[in-house]
Structure formats: C-alpha cells, structure tokens
Amino acid sequence: GDSVTQMEGPVTLSEEAFLTINCTYTATGYPSLFWYVQYPGEGLQLLLKATKADDKGSNKGFEATYRKETTSFHLEKGSVQVSDSAVYFCAPTNYGQNFVFGPGTRLSVLP
Amino acid sequence: EAQVTQNPRYLITVTGKKLTVTCSQNMNHEYMSWYRQDPGLGLRQIYYSMNVEVTDKGDVPEGYKVSRKEKRNFPLILESPSPNQTSLYFCASSQAGVLNQPQHFGDGTRLSIL
C-alpha cells in the first residue's frame, strides 16, 4: 500500500533560520501531494499542495515541489518565525479516498 | 463558515461505558473519515465513508463502530471503551472522487479511558 517517510524530528531552529523537512512516498498511480500543518490544540489544516510533476505548491512562505522521479515532496521555508512552531504532515493521496499521512515532524522555533 | 465540528472536545470516562463522539460537516462533502493520533505513530485511519450508508474499515478499526445515516454526520461509537483507546481523535471530510481536494479537519476530541 501507499506509504510516507518523513523526518520525525523534533526539529529546533532559531528564528530566521532555513527550514527543510524531507518527505518521500510510495504510491500507486499519480497521487496529489499535500502538506498539512497542526498548530497546538488544533486539527490539521492544509498548508500547500501540488497535483502534478514539477508543480510547486506555496503558502505562507513555505514551498514544496512535486518530484515524480524521486517520489519526494520536501517542505522548505527560507526564514522561519516563532509562529511556525507546529507539527507538519506530508500526505500523498489518490482520488480523495486513500489518504496516507506521514508520522509528522514537530518544529520548534526559538526567538 | 465551512467547518467540521466534533463533540465533545474532551472526555474522561471509565472502561466499558459506551460513548459516542459526534462529527458534523457543513460543506456537503461525500467523504468523511475518523483518525486517531498517538505520539510516535502519527495519524491512523479508523473508518471512512464514501457516502451515505457506505462505510469501510481503515487501518485500526477494532473496538470502534461508525454510521452514516445522513451526509453531514459521521459519529464514532466506542461500545466498550478500553484504556488503549485513550487518544486524540480527529474527524475529517472532503469531496470524493476528486484528486486534488484536501481534507478538512475538526479540532479534535481528546479521550481518556480510565
């Protein structure tokens, strides 16, 4: 079945540091790729998505590029803020019914 | 406002006492799902439903029941809760059969079974 490998962390960075969270996946067919973010005490919410090869999803300064040849969807941000402290989940999906989530990466950003 | 609403948000109860966690969405989504989130294990799917009266097991269905009598509601039932069901539970919904649509999540229900 489909699966996701994601660095689990925790990742601790200083404010304004560069962030990379790696995500690789195995999936049948041609999935859409999502990153979700979970802030403390809340449910998951969509951060960004990409639906075909070489697409770049972006939101709130975060970016990720759909790399079909390496089955990867790494999340990056050039300058993190304290407010980015959260848990980040990588999730490939096929046709909206087979959602698979990575284990989540906890990010802590220190002032 | 588009949302998924879960109730209760917190519950402490005892082994064997039946409980129901309600989930309702106002986006007319066909697909609804329940997950549990445990430290080190990420999100694991319990049950999902593609539409009214259609439900299927996810990865960890043992000890849980669901029903989908109406499109907007998808309650999670623990007939005889046990301590290993202590967890953080999330309900989610999305459009079915559309490849690039994300899930919308509720804020979670934290269950403690003593």
Side-chain angles (χ1 to χ4, degrees):
Chain A
D2 297 357
S3 65
V4 178
T5 300
Q6 180 185 342
M7 54 192 296
E8 292 196 35
V11 175
T12 303
L13 296 173
S14 298
E15 206 163 25
E16 299 184 4
F18 184 85
L19 169 71
T20 299
I21 301 177
N22 290 334
C23 170
T24 58
Y25 65 92
T26 60
T28 55
Y30 201 145
S32 289
L33 303 178
F34 299 87
W35 276 100
Y36 291 84
V37 59
Q38 183 182 27
Y39 297 106
E42 298 182 12
L44 281 71
Q45 56 186 272
L46 178 67
L47 178 61
L48 54 83
K49 70 179 184 183
T51 58
K52 61 183 189 295
D54 301 323
D55 263 4
K56 178 184 286 187
S58 62
N59 186 26
K60 300 182 181 180
F62 291 89
E63 294 182 339
T65 301
Y66 193 141
R67 301 291 187 199
K68 195 170 191 301
E69 65 278 11
T70 56
T71 62
S72 64
F73 193 51
H74 305 320
L75 183 68
E76 297 183 335
K77 186 173 185 180
S79 177
V80 293
Q81 306 300 310
V82 172
S83 57
D84 294 326
S85 297
V87 182
Y88 293 83
F89 293 88
C90 180
T93 181
N94 281 296
Y95 289 99
Q97 65 185 69
N98 184 26
F99 291 93
V100 176
F101 290 86
T105 300
R106 182 174 299 278
L107 171 65
S108 295
V109 181
L110 305 178
Chain B
E1 180 190 351
Q3 58 185 7
V4 177
T5 303
Q6 295 178 227
N7 281 296
R9 291 292 311 278
Y10 304 91
L11 179 62
I12 301 174
T13 187
V14 296
T15 299
K17 184 176 181 182
K18 180 180 178 179
L19 67 90
T20 299
V21 184
T22 63
C23 174
S24 180
Q25 51 94 4
N26 63 2
M27 294 166 279
N28 202 36
H29 285 161
E30 298 85 5
Y31 180 91
M32 297 186 74
S33 181
W34 276 102
Y35 298 89
R36 59 178 290 174
Q37 184 179 23
D38 301 290
L41 297 176
L43 279 173
R44 294 180 292 169
Q45 191 176 49
I46 302 171
Y47 270 94
Y48 64 95
S49 169
M50 295 296 293
N51 213 326
V52 176
E53 301 293 358
V54 179
T55 62
D56 281 294
K57 296 178 180 179
D59 298 319
V60 288
E62 294 76 21
Y64 304 94
K65 286 175 57 177
V66 292
S67 69
R68 187 87 182 275
K69 293 183 170 53
E70 305 165 283
K71 199 172 189 179
R72 64 182 293 126
N73 296 322
F74 191 46
L76 179 70
I77 303 156
L78 285 71
E79 294 269 7
S80 183
S82 62
N84 64 11
Q85 293 177 298
T86 293
S87 187
L88 178 59
Y89 291 85
F90 289 101
C91 180
S93 73
S94 69
Q95 288 181 268
V98 181
L99 184 59
N100 61 358
Q101 294 304 305
Q103 290 192 95
H104 298 257
F105 284 81
D107 285 336
T109 296
R110 187 168 291 282
L111 285 183
S112 294
I113 315 294
L114 306 178

